[in-house]
Amino acid sequence: MDMLSLLAAIIIGLASNLDNAGVGIAYGVRKIHIPWFSNLMIALISFLATLLSGMFGNWLAIWIHPWIGQWIGTIVIVSVGVWVLLQPYVEKKQAMREQDASVLTRLLRNPEEADRDSSKTLSLGESVLLGLALAMNALAGGFNAGITHLNIWLTSLFVGVFSYLLLAFCAGLGEKYAADKLGSRATIVSGLLLILIGIHQIL
C-alpha cells in the first residue's frame, strides 16, 4: 500500500467517526458513563460495518471497470458527506415531527436516549443500538474503500480504532469542560472530509 492509499484509509477512519466526538461530548456533559466494554462494542460494530460494506464494494469492483468504480465510490461518499453537512438544517425542519423519526435517527440527534434505563451508564445492550446508529457513516466509507481497491481490513481497523478513541476522549472532554459546541463542528468537519476524499479520487 502506497502512502496516499494509507492516508486515504486513515482519513476514512477519522471521517467515519467524527459523529462519535459529538456523541461523546453529549454523554460527558450529561455525566453518562461509557464503560470500556460498551465503547469496545460500538467500535466492533463500526469495524464490522466497514468490513462488510468494503467486501461488497470489492465484489462489485470485479464486475465493473475501475474508472466506473471510482466514480461510484466518489458519488457515494460525497453524497454521504453532503448529507452529514445538511443534517443540522434538516433537523430543524424535522423538530416538529420528532415522534415520526426512526430510532437510529433520533439517537444521533439525542444520543442520551440510548441510556434507556436512565442509569447514567451505557450498558452493553444499549451500546449495540448506539453502535448501529454511529456505524452509518462507516458503511459508506467501507464501500468506498472496497470499490476503489483500498485495503478494506486496514481501513476497517482504522475505523474501529478511531471509533473507540474519539468516543472515549470526547466523553472525558465533555465531562471535564462541557465543550458542547464541538459536536456541531465535528459534523461539519466529517462532512467536508468525506467530500474531499471523494473529489480526490477522481482527480
Side-chain angles (χ1 to χ4, degrees):
M1 175 180 280
D2 58 40
M3 189 58 66
L4 282 178
S5 296
L6 178 62
L7 183 60
I10 292 173
I11 293 175
I12 288 175
L14 182 61
S16 297
N17 285 298
L18 283 178
D19 277 346
N20 290 38
V23 169
I25 287 171
Y27 272 63
V29 168
R30 292 163 178 80
K31 309 294 184 183
I32 299 175
H33 177 58
I34 306 175
W36 68 267
F37 51 85
S38 294
N39 194 1
L40 186 61
M41 175 60 73
I42 292 169
L44 180 60
I45 291 172
S46 292
F47 169 83
L48 291 175
T50 307
L51 186 61
L52 291 174
S53 60
M55 288 178 173
F56 176 70
N58 265 346
W59 173 81
L60 193 60
I62 296 173
W63 306 102
I64 60 177
H65 191 279
W67 181 80
I68 297 175
Q70 283 199 332
W71 271 100
I72 292 175
T74 295
I75 291 169
V76 168
I77 205 161
V78 168
S79 297
V80 172
V82 171
W83 179 80
V84 169
L85 283 177
L86 292 177
Q87 279 309 290
Y89 305 100
V90 174
E91 288 169 8
K92 290 179 182 178
K93 292 185 178 181
Q94 292 181 338
M96 300 299 295
R97 296 178 294 172
E98 187 69 27
Q99 66 276 14
D100 297 327
S102 69
V103 173
L104 297 184
T105 300
R106 289 205 313 272
L107 280 179
L108 287 179
R109 291 182 201 157
N110 305 295
E112 65 276 8
E113 286 187 15
D115 183 26
R116 296 188 164 234
D117 57 6
S118 300
S119 63
K120 292 297 182 179
T121 297
L122 191 69
S123 69
L124 194 59
E126 291 167 343
S127 70
V128 172
L129 195 57
L130 182 59
L132 290 173
L134 290 173
M136 294 299 104
N137 287 351
L139 288 172
F143 177 80
N144 179 270
I147 205 166
T148 56
H149 302 286
L150 290 177
N151 187 315
I152 59 172
W153 284 95
L154 189 60
T155 302
S156 300
L157 180 62
F158 280 128
V159 168
V161 168
F162 279 122
S163 171
Y164 189 94
L165 293 179
L166 278 174
L167 192 56
F169 175 75
C170 290
L173 186 69
E175 184 174 356
K176 190 171 184 181
Y177 298 106
D180 53 346
K181 296 201 173 180
L182 185 60
S184 59
R185 293 178 186 173
T187 298
I188 293 172
V189 173
S190 176
L192 289 175
L193 277 175
L194 290 171
I195 291 171
L196 288 174
I197 292 167
I199 293 174
H200 177 265
Q201 288 173 172
I202 57 173
L203 296 180

